[in-house]
Amino acid sequence: MAKIKPSKGAPYARILGVGGYRPARVVPNEVILERIDSSDEWIRSRSGIETRHWAGPEETVAAMAIEASGKAIADAGIDAGQIGAVVVSTVSHFSQTPAVATEIADKLGTGKAAAFDISAGCAGFGYGLTLAKGMVVEGSAEHVLVIGVERLSDLTDLEDRATAFLFGDGAGAVVVGPSDEPAIGPTVWGSEGDKSATIKQTVPWDRFAIGDVSQLPLDSQGNIKFPAITQEGQAVFRWAVFEMAKVAQQALDAAGITADDLDVFIPHQANVRIIDSMVKTLKLPEHVTVARDIRTTGNTSAASIPLAMERLLATGEAKSGDTALVIGFGAGLVYAATVVTLP
């Protein structure tokens, strides 16, 4: 029987560079309040959100991803041609096929890099990072570009009081490459599909092919609504607060460190109250920098962790070499947490 030659990659993997892109338009809560019965105080107290960015016509999923990726590649100190794979996490690229990753890879000049999309909601960056680590260590790619990008303004029902204020647009990207020492810890990830109805798209795309208006949601003017993201807010909040703190602790344990060893905590930017509750449950020391990028960026799903990471490094709130705990969680319900060394 023939023996298959074993693959050989780097001993370990690390994040080498990070980049982010936020659309030019800044949208304050006052704009959201034009369509829902609420107040700026209520939105800030419930979510922490003050402003968010919404993309313009030219700021497509691909365009935003390319901007963020170019910065990440430059930050990593490599050329685009050295990228062996491009992994894009998004739920807001509306062409079923081809994957937007192929367009991004081509326009960046990566040559014939492997390219594919994944759909893991707000945990998408963690899923992509885990895949990238595996590719670098296994040897199928020396450098992997991981992108989280969303245009969630396209999937927002501005008349839904529970979600209209939550979502923003943007892209975050990292380059994962070889390392001589561990710099991306074991991933604690999973799913709870029995709870998938708590965050979902209002109607599937194929409803539009039926031609029966009674099967489609209508707005206050009687017009057909485009599919949007909806959620059972209280159920999601309870799950995130009580279950995700456990997952975060498991990631610390898997990496062999304690909360005292952390420098930075970068959770998915879903809600400031969720973030604050996790900080309390994990008993994070005062010296740990906590990302609260949601205040001015909103919830950007798969893009939220790399965007928050990029901002912390750019502002000096975090520095290269810091040890950070990252955790994403959302629709599915899916989650992924790991400990990384910041680039």
Side-chain angles (χ1 to χ4, degrees), residues 83-85 132 135-144 176:
I83 298 293
M135 283 186 264
V136 171
V137 173
E138 185 268 343
S140 59
E142 184 177 10
H143 297 94
V144 181
V176 177

Side-chain angles (χ1 to χ4, degrees), residues 308-334:
M309 183 184 296
E310 184 268 345
R311 173 159 282 174
L312 288 176
L313 289 166
T315 59
E317 295 173 81
K319 62 183 185 300
S320 175
D322 278 353
T323 299
L325 169 63
V326 299
I327 179 170
F329 45 86
L333 294 170
V334 297

Side-chain angles (χ1 to χ4, degrees), residues 51-210:
T51 61
R52 73 284 291 147
H53 294 257
W54 282 357
E58 303 301 317
E59 293 170 312
T60 64
V61 165
M64 292 190 293
I66 289 167
E67 288 290 334
S69 298
K71 295 175 183 177
I73 292 169
D75 191 45
I78 65 170
D79 296 324
Q82 294 175 261
I83 298 293
V86 178
V87 182
V88 178
S89 180
T90 185
V91 298
S92 46
H93 173 59
F94 295 147
S95 293
Q96 193 70 37
T97 192
V100 71
T102 58
E103 176 186 350
I104 294 166
D106 175 64
K107 290 185 176 178
L108 285 172
T110 63
K112 296 183 178 181
F116 58 95
D117 297 352
I118 60 173
S119 178
C122 304
F125 175 75
Y127 275 52
L129 187 64
T130 302
L131 294 173
K133 173 187 173 183
M135 283 186 264
V136 171
V137 173
E138 185 268 343
S140 59
E142 184 177 10
H143 297 94
V144 181
L145 179 63
V146 180
I147 305 164
V149 56
E150 303 291 4
R151 270 184 58 121
L152 293 182
S153 58
D154 292 336
L155 286 169
T156 299
D157 179 354
L158 294 177
E159 295 183 345
D160 181 359
R161 189 173 183 271
T163 62
F165 58 90
L166 287 175
F167 303 119
D169 303 336
V174 299
V175 172
V176 177
S179 175
D180 293 329
E181 58 185 27
I184 300 176
T187 300
V188 177
W189 57 354
S191 65
E192 298 184 35
D194 61 316
K195 300 179 181 67
S196 61
T198 56
I199 307 175
K200 63 182 181 179
Q201 186 172 306
T202 48
V203 293
W205 301 114
D206 60 6
R207 288 282 181 89
F208 282 83
I210 296 174

Side-chain angles (χ1 to χ4, degrees), residues 172-307:
V174 299
V175 172
V176 177
S179 175
D180 293 329
E181 58 185 27
I184 300 176
T187 300
V188 177
W189 57 354
S191 65
E192 298 184 35
D194 61 316
K195 300 179 181 67
S196 61
T198 56
I199 307 175
K200 63 182 181 179
Q201 186 172 306
T202 48
V203 293
W205 301 114
D206 60 6
R207 288 282 181 89
F208 282 83
I210 296 174
D212 183 358
V213 176
S214 67
Q215 298 294 309
L216 298 170
L218 304 177
D219 64 18
S220 58
Q221 305 300 314
N223 301 310
I224 294 175
K225 285 185 179 182
F226 193 73
I229 298 172
T230 185
Q231 68 175 23
E232 297 175 16
Q234 288 302 315
V236 173
F237 182 86
R238 287 193 298 270
W239 175 77
V241 168
F242 295 111
E243 298 302 322
M244 290 305 98
K246 298 176 186 177
V247 172
Q249 184 59 56
Q250 290 169 16
L252 290 175
D253 296 341
I257 68 171
T258 68
D260 290 336
D261 299 315
L262 280 179
D263 300 302
V264 185
F265 178 43
I266 311 177
H268 164 50
Q269 302 294 291
N271 183 303
V272 164
R273 291 196 299 156
I274 292 175
I275 294 171
D276 291 344
S277 294
M278 291 180 72
V279 168
K280 183 177 179 180
T281 302
L282 289 167
K283 298 179 180 178
L284 297 186
E286 288 291 328
H287 74 262
V288 176
T289 297
V290 179
R292 292 185 175 87
D293 189 47
I294 188 171
R295 297 189 187 280
T296 55
T297 304
N299 180 343
T300 55
S301 189
S304 79
I305 290 175
L307 276 173

